[in-house]
Amino acid sequence: MKASDADILIIPGYTNSGPSHWQSRWEAKLSTARRVEQAEWTKPVREDWIARIAEEVNASTRPVVLVAHSLGVPSVIHAIPHFRNRVAGAFLVAPPDVANPDIRPKHLMTFGPYPRDPLPFPSITVASRNDPFGSYEHADDIASSWGSFLVDAGESGHINADSGHGPWPEGTMVFAQFLGRLSP
């Protein structure tokens, strides 16, 4: 599949992805990409985020490729039962451990626990060894339950602009390879 064959939905996490974040850069570069906007980025409500993602998937005219970061990941996983249109694949980056009682802000726990059913489409989960919002072991466990291919990003923090992942060329290459393996 080529990017032009898909509706690429960029799904940021808590507080959105700023202009230097890799998601914002990909959105600007990929002609068929659009951001799933949330009404409330700093006080997320699980049901609202799920509904917005499902609305965007269901409004798509081409097969959908989901590109989720951080809190966008559990939002996508919880939204799956509401999808009516075809999702060709999901690229899931830095999944937070939303069942961890130490997560801050505390209301992010309302996005947990993760459903553990196998995903109904191909996926890649990219996780860091030193992500402050979720351990690599947690990411490995949930990716395994979903049937998602896990990519070890090494010690990359939360894989965002603050951890030096603005352009993120390695992520671009992994995403391009993943996209190329999807069926249109």
Side-chain angles (χ1 to χ4, degrees), residues 32-54:
T32 62
R34 69 181 185 274
R35 181 177 306 243
V36 175
E37 293 290 344
Q38 298 291 351
E40 186 54 70
W41 288 107
T42 59
K43 292 184 181 164
V45 175
R46 176 174 138 169
E47 292 75 22
D48 295 346
W49 279 40
I50 290 168
R52 279 292 299 131
I53 293 166

Side-chain angles (χ1 to χ4, degrees), residues 34-133:
R34 69 181 185 274
R35 181 177 306 243
V36 175
E37 293 290 344
Q38 298 291 351
E40 186 54 70
W41 288 107
T42 59
K43 292 184 181 164
V45 175
R46 176 174 138 169
E47 292 75 22
D48 295 346
W49 279 40
I50 290 168
R52 279 292 299 131
I53 293 166
E55 182 180 318
E56 289 293 332
V57 167
N58 296 335
S60 295
T61 57
R62 294 177 283 241
V64 172
V65 176
L66 305 166
V67 179
H69 178 260
S70 191
L71 196 62
V73 176
S75 301
V76 161
I77 303 302
H78 287 296
I80 291 171
H82 306 283
F83 295 166
R84 292 188 310 270
N85 284 348
R86 179 171 174 260
V87 172
F91 191 77
L92 309 169
V93 181
D97 185 352
V98 288
N100 181 345
D102 295 330
I103 197 168
R104 296 292 179 266
K106 200 94 166 142
H107 67 271
L108 300 183
M109 283 186 68
T110 62
F111 284 75
Y114 283 95
R116 299 184 62 83
D117 299 326
L119 301 183
F121 41 74
S123 65
I124 285 184
T125 301
V126 181
S128 166
R129 295 261 176 193
N130 63 343
D131 188 334
F133 299 103

